[in-house]
Amino acid sequence: MSEAGSSPEPPNDSEPPIDSERRMDSERPVVDEALVRKTARLARLKVSDEEIPGLVDHLEKILDLVDTLRSVKIPDGHPIVEHQSAGQLSQLTVSVTREDQTAQPTDAGGPRDAAAFGANAPDWRDGSFVTPRVVG
Amino acid sequence: MPNRSSLPPTDATVGEVQQWLTDGHCSARQLIDGYLDYLQRVGRELNAVVEIFVDEAHLAADESDQRRSSGQSLGPLDGIPFTAKMNITTQLGSSDASSPMLRGFKAKEDATAVGRLRAAGAVLVGKTSCDEFAMGASNETSCHGVVSNPWNRDRVPGGSSGGSAALAGSHGWSFHLGSDTGGSIRQPAAFCNATAIKPTWGRVSRRGLIAFGSSLDQICPIARDAVDCQTVLQVMEGYDPLDSTSLKLTPSPLVPATLEPIRRVALITDGLGAGIDASIATAVRAAAQKMANQGIEIIERSLPHLEAANACYQVISTAEASSNLARYDGVHVGVRAESDQLQELYETSRHAGFGSEVRRRILLGTFVLSAGYRDAYYTRALAVRDLIRQGIDQVLEDCDALLLPVSPFAPFRIGERIDDPLALYACDILTVTANLAGVPALALPCDFDEDQLPIGMQLMGAHGSDHRLLEFGQRWQRWNDLHRALPEGSAR
């Protein structure tokens, strides 16, 4: 992903994007079952058949609201648009990262024993988060 | 039961209660007992409080009394009861963001803000209900049930910090920590006749605030008056090495060295027109006139892009939420639906753990970030956000603060809007601008409508003007007694 690091990203997905006729950046997409199912899969959300009509309707309505954004004239060459489109960090923002430092377990935010991570996990065994088998 | 004759009046502020303790009218233990009693009765009736920490509060109160008797008081919050919203982590109790996803979640640490308040002697007495993951404007999406407005129990207290506001609006002595991503402290404050400030973004560490929209979220105090909000903010604010976006309180453009009093206020006329209840527009205009009578210069201004702000907020807040809530996957924390397929485990766990409003927002946020739509929605919203910030800066070149209502309408009936998400999103139209621009905004009681429901107003200022706004709020509250009013029956 070219935009990595500049903003939140949904999980990568191997499925092809919505068919190209609907991929119109400057116009309203067609909101239908296929779009809802595709987006839900990207979001790792199960949707039941019964939920689909309601979600199509909601997405349609919320995009009506969001379309108000189009009424705002964005000056040509606005730096955010330029940089986002080029997949770069906006130069209007400032990085606040610092040098790496070591911290002690007693420091707030310092390293924890593994069990502390597992204490709230639904399935934690032998110092590991347990998932269904994914390989072999 | 404590000896009630020795307890302060129910409407007493934190400042007044601290004096009461200093004067020896009661001990911190008696005060805390009295407040716990109120939480057990009225707090439970309103369904505002989810957990109450009786034993730990007793212990902390006794320690406070020992400090006081040996002349070692920790200052204005020593022995004062407070609560934290369910989306703010505390070592005591659970921190579930009112979501089934995090039911029973035990945090290892206090949020930095909570830790600083406890270190200043404040006594954590409970956790309050909120909308699930702070997504809502009515406190109706909480897994702990609907919270009632203390002024009319058939009405919502606002949201998402509805539990905090229901307590702040019905009893003194205490303060409460909520959070504000698009109006979540100000709108409930307005609905419950409390005072609250959404600080400049970065002024208060977000460490321990369960993330919704990270570039918008702030932990906020809500209390009886602007003095108390300022006292709490002064303890919480400032740089935290565990939140690299928190502000160092050394003089800078974001942290002015001197605080000039507010003299010139712009009444934002777009906030008084179509879509705003006439009673609210009238009340805010009348408030501006009262300020003018006290020598404040009032000008009228338009705020650019006010209408687009809600659209901008919908895109940015949901995009950030879809990213922040990706961590709840059924593996690391929270609810897990069993499956032998990893992908299915993720999807079914998230379906089981998230309520429908949270899922709707994750879906929109994922959509606006997805390939093919990102530039049309997310990038455009970022640019509009920048223009909104510039618009505020522009108006502030000519005045010290912006005045507008908090909510376009009065507290509505429980159930009235919950089935129409867009009707709920309309609650945010006047508040989201401050979050998008990162500027502070102070919500103050403004009036009551003909149904005796509270009306709130807000003042937005420049980045870093938090204490200027609070000083102005204190002046406003010397000019009238609105903030002292308590609902009938709340002080039984």
Side-chain angles (χ1 to χ4, degrees), chain A residues 7-9 22 25 29 39 43-44 46 51 58 62 65-66 72 78 84 96 108-109 112 120-122 130 132, chain B residues 105-106 109 242 244 323 330-332 336 339-340 347 350-351 359-360 363 366 369 372-374 376-377 386 425:
Chain A
S7 59
E9 286 290 342
R22 295 204 202 110
D25 279 355
T39 310
R44 305 289 185 258
K46 181 181 154 193
E51 287 175 294
H58 175 72
I62 188 84
L65 169 69
V66 165
V72 179
H78 189 286
Q84 284 281 323
V96 289
R112 312 239 189 87
N120 283 297
V130 178
Chain B
F105 176 79
K106 304 274 185 207
E109 295 166 8
L242 301 180
S244 58
S323 174
V331 174
H332 297 92
R336 175 180 188 125
S339 167
D340 54 8
E347 293 185 359
R350 286 161 66 76
H351 189 269
R359 281 185 280 136
R360 276 195 289 268
L363 206 60
T366 303
L369 290 173
Y373 301 111
R374 183 194 162 97
Y377 290 99
D386 188 49
Y425 300 164

Side-chain angles (χ1 to χ4, degrees), chain B residues 47 109 111 142 169 190 228 239 252 262 301 323 335 368 426 479 492:
Chain B
N47 200 28
E109 295 166 8
S142 169
D228 290 356
Y239 182 69
S252 72
I262 285 170
R301 286 290 179 274
S323 174
V335 165
V368 299
W479 300 334
R492 284 174 291 156

Side-chain angles (χ1 to χ4, degrees), chain B residues 81-377:
Chain B
F82 80 106
T83 68
K85 183 175 170 178
M86 262 296 187
N87 66 344
I88 298 173
T89 62
T90 50
Q91 281 180 325
L92 290 178
S94 60
S95 305
D96 65 10
S98 292
S99 176
M101 178 59 90
L102 284 175
R103 197 180 285 279
F105 176 79
K106 304 274 185 207
K108 294 291 286 185
E109 295 166 8
D110 282 337
T112 297
V114 171
R116 288 182 182 180
L117 290 160
R118 293 179 77 187
V123 179
L124 182 66
V125 290
K127 299 291 291 267
T128 55
S129 181
C130 59
D131 279 300
E132 183 178 2
F133 282 104
M135 297 179 189
S138 61
N139 217 115
E140 293 173 284
T141 70
S142 169
C143 71
H144 304 293
V146 178
V147 176
S148 290
N149 188 315
W151 291 86
N152 180 331
R153 297 191 180 189
D154 298 330
R155 308 269 174 160
V156 302
S160 63
S161 309
S164 321
L167 296 180
S170 60
H171 200 290
W173 307 2
S174 58
F175 66 90
H176 310 273
L177 293 189
S179 65
D180 192 317
T181 304
S184 276
I185 200 78
R186 288 164 284 158
Q187 184 250 22
F191 276 16
C192 297
N193 200 48
T195 300
I197 185 164
K198 196 290 285 182
T200 301
W201 187 78
R203 191 166 192 106
V204 177
S205 168
R206 288 180 294 112
R207 171 78 174 184
L209 176 61
I210 295 174
F212 164 11
S214 304
S215 76
L216 306 157
D217 295 340
Q218 274 286 280
I219 292 178
C220 314
I222 178 167
R224 299 295 303 156
D225 72 1
V227 177
D228 290 356
C229 286
Q230 182 157 40
T231 306
V232 176
L233 183 61
Q234 281 169 336
V235 173
M236 292 197 295
E237 66 187 359
Y239 182 69
D240 171 14
L242 301 180
D243 174 4
S244 58
T245 64
S246 60
L247 290 172
K248 292 191 170 73
L249 295 182
T250 47
S252 72
L254 290 181
V255 185
T258 55
L259 297 175
E260 285 292 312
I262 285 170
R263 295 193 177 88
R264 194 170 151 94
V265 170
L267 181 63
I268 301 300
T269 48
D270 325 55
L272 304 173
I276 314 296
D277 276 6
S279 61
I280 290 176
T282 305
V284 174
R285 276 196 185 280
Q289 185 54 49
K290 285 179 198 159
M291 292 176 196
N293 295 345
Q294 296 288 342
I296 301 295
E297 191 183 346
I298 302 289
I299 57 174
E300 295 201 355
R301 286 290 179 274
S302 178
L303 189 59
H305 316 306
L306 191 62
E307 202 178 328
N310 199 19
C312 185
Y313 173 77
Q314 292 300 330
V315 172
I316 289 174
S317 65
T318 59
E320 294 185 9
S322 76
S323 174
N324 277 325
L325 273 61
R327 72 191 67 175
Y328 305 111
D329 58 2
V331 174
H332 297 92
V333 66
V335 165
R336 175 180 188 125
E338 284 309 325
S339 167
D340 54 8
Q341 299 291 323
L342 187 59
Q343 174 78 18
E344 190 181 79
L345 180 142
Y346 291 150
E347 293 185 359
T348 50
S349 297
R350 286 161 66 76
H351 189 269
F354 291 137
S356 54
E357 178 59 21
V358 173
R359 281 185 280 136
R360 276 195 289 268
R361 295 204 195 193
I362 291 174
L363 206 60
L364 177 65
T366 303
F367 169 74
V368 299
L369 290 173
S370 62
Y373 301 111
R374 183 194 162 97
D375 279 352
Y377 290 99

Side-chain angles (χ1 to χ4, degrees), chain B residues 197 226 229-230 233 442 466-474:
Chain B
I197 185 164
C229 286
Q230 182 157 40
L233 183 61
L442 172 66
D466 311 56
H467 290 286
R468 279 183 93 187
L469 295 177
L470 286 162
E471 188 277 332
F472 183 79
Q474 290 166 26

